[in-house]
Amino acid sequence: MNLEPYDERDGMKVWLSRDETDRVIDAVADDARTLVELGLRCGLRCSEAVGVAPEHVVDTGIGPTLRVVESVAKFGKYREAPVPTDLAARIEAVDRVRDAPRDEPVVEFSQRTADRRVAQLRDRLADETGDEHWRHLEFHDFRRTWATLLAGREEVDPLVVCDWGGWDDLETFLDHYRGAYSPEVQRRERETVDWL
């Protein structure tokens, strides 16, 4: 876990490693799992994640894709981001078993409740691990982690990450999201140095 103080408010920005990301997903309650994965696996903001409906998941030339439509995107900015196959299948399964229109969100609670669920999750992880750094975790850190893991660990072109994440320019992405390198990238780079 990498931390960095916010410039304009109290608290810390958090970047999770791949193992920590998996730990969060494994620890989250079933009714909040889709919400958390929309942040950690698709880079959505909390306000966007609570608005995702089955109609937003489509199969495109790049595979399953999540359409972040104007009504839920920040500043009404449309974008498309890849969605993991298992998450896309879960969203479609919800649509098949419920009696609701395809445009109704799959997450059944508000942004405020979503933030409370993340707070409960982070406190539980801090208690279970004895690592107080977990107490800094917020929903937006899921988006930050997603972007950093893609550009760093997975070596996705940063301009593609900008496109998927909806950033207008590389500078904004690098200044506010890329931040610290993931532990996996640091370990990989350290292994290139023969005297370390």
Side-chain angles (χ1 to χ4, degrees):
M1 181 181 310
N2 292 318
L3 302 171
E4 179 181 304
Y6 282 103
D7 294 332
E8 60 284 336
R9 68 177 177 99
D10 290 340
M12 304 288 269
K13 298 176 188 176
V14 177
W15 289 265
L16 301 172
S17 69
R18 180 67 189 264
D19 289 342
E20 290 162 335
T21 298
D22 292 342
R23 183 177 202 138
V24 167
I25 291 170
D26 290 343
V28 71
D30 286 343
D31 65 335
R33 185 179 179 109
T34 298
L35 169 82
V36 168
E37 285 193 66
L38 287 167
L40 282 170
R41 301 289 192 226
C42 302
L44 270 60
R45 298 169 181 91
C46 188
S47 61
E48 296 168 339
V50 297
V52 169
E55 72 175 0
H56 300 143
V57 178
V58 296
D59 196 10
T60 67
I62 66 166
T65 301
L66 182 63
R67 291 184 172 154
V68 184
V69 296
E70 295 87 349
S71 62
V72 298
K74 185 176 182 181
F75 306 121
K77 185 175 179 188
Y78 174 85
R79 69 178 189 280
E80 294 183 354
V83 60
T85 304
D86 60 331
L87 180 54
R90 188 174 332 120
I91 292 169
E92 287 299 323
V94 167
D95 185 49
R96 283 192 303 276
V97 300
R98 70 181 184 168
D99 186 26
R102 285 188 54 79
D103 65 349
E104 186 171 310
V106 294
V107 174
E108 295 181 352
F109 34 82
S110 68
Q111 184 175 342
R112 175 179 252 165
T113 301
D115 287 334
R116 278 197 309 270
R117 297 300 294 273
V118 172
Q120 293 165 350
L121 174 65
R122 73 179 178 220
D123 289 343
R124 191 170 81 241
L125 286 167
D127 292 343
E128 288 174 1
T129 64
D131 183 352
E132 290 298 307
H133 288 135
W134 282 107
R135 296 202 197 276
H136 295 288
L137 188 66
E138 298 176 351
F139 193 94
H140 202 76
D141 297 315
F142 298 158
R143 177 172 166 80
R144 186 176 292 114
T145 294
W146 168 81
T148 300
L149 289 175
L150 285 177
R153 183 179 188 270
E154 304 300 335
E155 298 182 3
V156 174
D157 184 313
L159 292 175
V160 173
V161 177
C162 285
D163 186 51
W164 291 345
W167 292 285
D168 289 329
D169 58 79
L170 186 58
E171 184 178 339
T172 300
F173 166 66
L174 293 174
D175 286 348
H176 300 287
Y177 290 90
R178 180 109 185 263
Y181 288 98
S182 70
E184 293 91 352
V185 170
Q186 292 183 47
R187 187 177 316 110
R188 181 183 71 220
E189 294 304 314
R190 181 184 174 127
E191 289 171 0
T192 68
V193 180
D194 63 359
W195 52 269
L196 288 176

